[in-house]
Amino acid sequence: MDLNTLYRTVIMDNYKNPKNKGLKKTDDYHFVHLNNPSCGDEMNVEIKIEDGIIKDVRQDGHGCSISMSSASVMSDVLIGKTVDEAKKIILDFYGIVTGIDPSDEEALGEAIAYMGVRQFPARVKCATLAWKAIERAIDEVMESGK
Ligand code: ZN
């Protein structure tokens, strides 16, 4: 499967059947909202971290197929990872969408498909929105010392 086919397949699969969709709104989850004015994407994420491990990620929002599918893939890839592993994956994701090779391609899982975004620089903000939101959520939880 070439990159463009993989890219389109991952976007459509995760847009139609989003993973970990819907917020819990309970005290054990930390919530972050971000938006992308250039496209009108609205992103809500929640994260549950215990003992430095990401136990759960929830995502909800509305917007284009790239931003919504990317949130689904992000949640699936990060659940079960340690905070340190997740931060490395997030940085690798920011790299691949702008044309930088990842430090650990295997850890990115399905997210590697978003390498296809590098051909469409205007959509980079769509692809990274959920990842920016979860990065902020992780930082806020770690700063709070919970
Ligand atoms: Zn968008």
Side-chain angles (χ1 to χ4, degrees), residues 30 49 87 134-144:
H30 185 77
I49 301 176
K87 294 216 133 194
I134 211 70
E135 183 181 32
R136 180 182 294 185
I138 292 170
D139 286 345
E140 287 177 359
V141 171
M142 297 319 283
E143 277 164 22
S144 76

Side-chain angles (χ1 to χ4, degrees), residues 11-23:
I11 287 175
M12 287 324 294
D13 284 355
N14 283 277
Y15 186 59
K16 287 182 187 158
N17 300 301
K19 300 180 185 92
N20 308 301
K21 179 129 174 145
L23 303 179

Side-chain angles (χ1 to χ4, degrees), residues 114-129:
Y114 290 82
M115 208 178 250
V117 177
R118 62 181 63 178
Q119 302 160 86
F120 312 100
R123 310 312 297 276
V124 168
K125 280 184 180 166
C126 301
T128 56
L129 185 62

Side-chain angles (χ1 to χ4, degrees), residues 79-146:
I79 290 172
K81 299 292 193 297
T82 67
V83 166
D84 289 342
E85 287 167 346
K87 294 216 133 194
K88 225 176 93 189
I89 292 168
I90 292 166
L91 285 181
D92 267 350
F93 186 81
Y94 295 157
I96 61 162
V97 296
T98 55
I100 300 164
D101 288 335
S103 64
D104 186 349
E105 184 172 328
E106 206 171 307
L108 278 164
E110 218 176 17
I112 197 74
Y114 290 82
M115 208 178 250
V117 177
R118 62 181 63 178
Q119 302 160 86
F120 312 100
R123 310 312 297 276
V124 168
K125 280 184 180 166
C126 301
T128 56
L129 185 62
W131 299 76
K132 298 263 182 204
I134 211 70
E135 183 181 32
R136 180 182 294 185
I138 292 170
D139 286 345
E140 287 177 359
V141 171
M142 297 319 283
E143 277 164 22
S144 76
K146 267 194 271 185

